[in-house]
Amino acid sequence: MSSERSTLPPVRLTSEAELARDALASPLFARAVRLARWAGPETRVGAGGELVDAQLPEAAAHLGYDADDEDGPAYASEAWRVAVDTGLVEVVDGDADDAEGTVTTGEDLAAVTSGSPQDVLALWLGALETVLADATVPDLEGIVDALHSGGDLDLDQLDWDPAAEADFLDGVLGNLYLLTVSEIASAGGPGSGDEPVPLPALAASMIVPDDMGEPTDDILEQVSDAMMRLDDQFRMLEPIGLVEFRPVDEELMAEAGSDPAADAASLEEEDISRYGLVRLTPLGLYGVRARMLEAGVDAPAVGDLADKGADTLLDLAADFPQAAARAETEQWLARREPLAAARELLAAAHGEDERAPLRRLHCQQALSLVADQAEPALREVLDDAELGGLARVWLTERGAADVPAPSEAMVYWLTVDTIAAQLAAEGNSDELQGLVEGLAEQHSGFFDTAWRVDHPATADVLEAMGRLHPDKQVAKEARKAAFKARSLRGA
């Protein structure tokens, strides 16, 4: 993983074994596997590898569709295309240009039963690419009509730009991924916080400019068009296991006016679901992330830092949501003995750079997850100016004996360091304001001493305390102390 900070929070994926089981159970991929096993020497295909029309009813029957089911041949054709594109079957061209071809068993079919989870997921990703390509193609009836009317395929006439359509769908899936991983990272893992996204909101995320207040009628019309396009596309993407989708209520659409997006905006929360809801499945999270990585997007996953040093862990995990940072730290610790892990974390927490307080805060949080066997590492830094305070906190919380009391200088230094870390992590939060008020109340002469603390962030912390404290007199004392601290450090 790159040491550069990602703008995406890390996703906590389920295990590859579980994902592979989900892939095999996805309806479209399962149908493709069944047809690949059904195919034999008598199977005939056209020039593009598609099943000839005469064989579609038999293929549909093998998949369990009744002869009078009009959709059966279409489902069979779709599954066959996936089987061909993923290498589950191999097409053997006919001898002449117009001759029908045959098929043989593809080398990759064996991976379905005897391959590793990674092998299965690679096949599923290939199937996903086929479905995504199909999802960006306009209604085939329109193409046929265009060919019949002019003889040539004019994309302008169809108002279809293949690259733009693919980019739009990629953007939608990217937004859905961001919404999903942000919720999961905040809530603690898959199955928590990953609420379905209303289709109008997802469409609006692609259309409405960020700085626009009330959308114009033209924007609402574009959102409506995007909603209906996404409704068709998500119906196609659900069978491959990418999403769980509740389509737009067709009765509602018949009742609605000409502007579904405007109608949806006026609905109560319980009614918005009638305009469609979508969420990425755990397999969908894996699939979208894999495509983002292939495109060069930094999309981290929990566990990426498990084999990195403590310096990388503390630096990058500091920007993660709290639940994701804890999960990442747990995986990092699982690979190390408690004593060695504690020593590495403490060594990485040193420093006077701007992010050092935040590293020490996350070091303290990481150490809270370490077993008692780490005690010797904490005792080794009791006299360390930067780490002695947090070491005493850890030892005291564990009920250790013979923990020396900290000096006044150490207490003040740890206080400044803690506030500096909170400022870096959360800015002017309510929690920090409460901490500032508590400090001023408990220590009447706090500012008389604090400005002398030999910490790089002393002046900034005192300035923030002056900004956050609601009492004007206390705030004035904090600002005066900040001025003294800057003068002292400058001298």
Side-chain angles (χ1 to χ4, degrees), residues 266-463:
S266 64
L267 291 177
E268 298 294 333
E269 185 174 348
E270 60 267 22
D271 294 327
I272 194 69
S273 63
R274 300 183 68 191
Y275 281 85
L277 293 172
V278 62
R279 64 177 289 271
L280 285 172
T281 64
L283 183 62
L285 277 171
Y286 168 83
V288 174
R289 177 176 180 264
R291 299 185 78 246
M292 294 172 78
L293 292 175
E294 183 70 22
V297 177
D298 184 11
V302 171
D304 282 352
L305 305 182
D307 60 348
K308 308 296 183 185
D311 53 346
T312 301
L313 173 72
L314 295 182
D315 190 40
L316 296 186
D319 297 323
F320 292 175
Q322 186 173 356
R326 181 185 177 95
E328 185 70 59
T329 302
E330 287 173 341
Q331 293 206 21
W332 188 89
L333 290 171
R335 296 194 181 190
R336 293 160 176 82
E337 293 297 324
L339 182 56
R343 284 176 173 147
E344 188 177 350
L345 287 166
L346 289 165
H350 273 119
E352 294 189 351
D353 58 283
E354 187 176 347
R355 289 179 62 85
L358 197 54
R359 286 201 306 277
R360 282 186 284 274
L361 174 63
H362 282 273
C363 174
Q364 188 169 7
Q365 292 169 346
L367 288 169
S368 71
L369 305 175
V370 178
D372 291 348
Q373 292 93 318
E375 181 175 335
L378 279 299
R379 290 195 178 275
E380 290 166 3
V381 298
L382 283 172
D383 294 330
D384 188 291
E386 295 179 358
L387 306 177
L390 67 85
R392 283 168 171 78
V393 171
W394 190 93
L395 291 166
T396 301
E397 289 178 346
R398 300 299 172 104
D402 301 323
V403 180
S407 65
E408 183 182 63
M410 181 173 285
V411 170
Y412 273 84
W413 194 96
L414 182 60
T415 301
V416 170
D417 199 58
T418 301
I419 296 176
Q422 294 285 353
L423 281 170
E426 302 174 6
N428 301 331
S429 65
D430 292 339
E431 180 182 352
L432 182 57
Q433 182 172 342
L435 175 61
V436 167
E437 292 181 30
L439 279 172
E441 289 176 9
Q442 295 170 21
H443 305 281
S444 57
F446 177 82
F447 299 113
D448 294 334
T449 303
W451 67 270
R452 296 183 176 90
V453 173
D454 186 18
H455 190 294
T458 297
D460 291 335
V461 163
L462 292 171
E463 193 172 86

Side-chain angles (χ1 to χ4, degrees), residues 47 94-99:
D95 295 333
D97 291 342
D98 58 349

Side-chain angles (χ1 to χ4, degrees), residues 3-16:
S3 61
E4 295 181 1
R5 303 180 207 289
S6 173
T7 57
L8 290 171
V11 59
R12 190 166 191 175
L13 298 172
T14 53
S15 70
E16 288 186 332

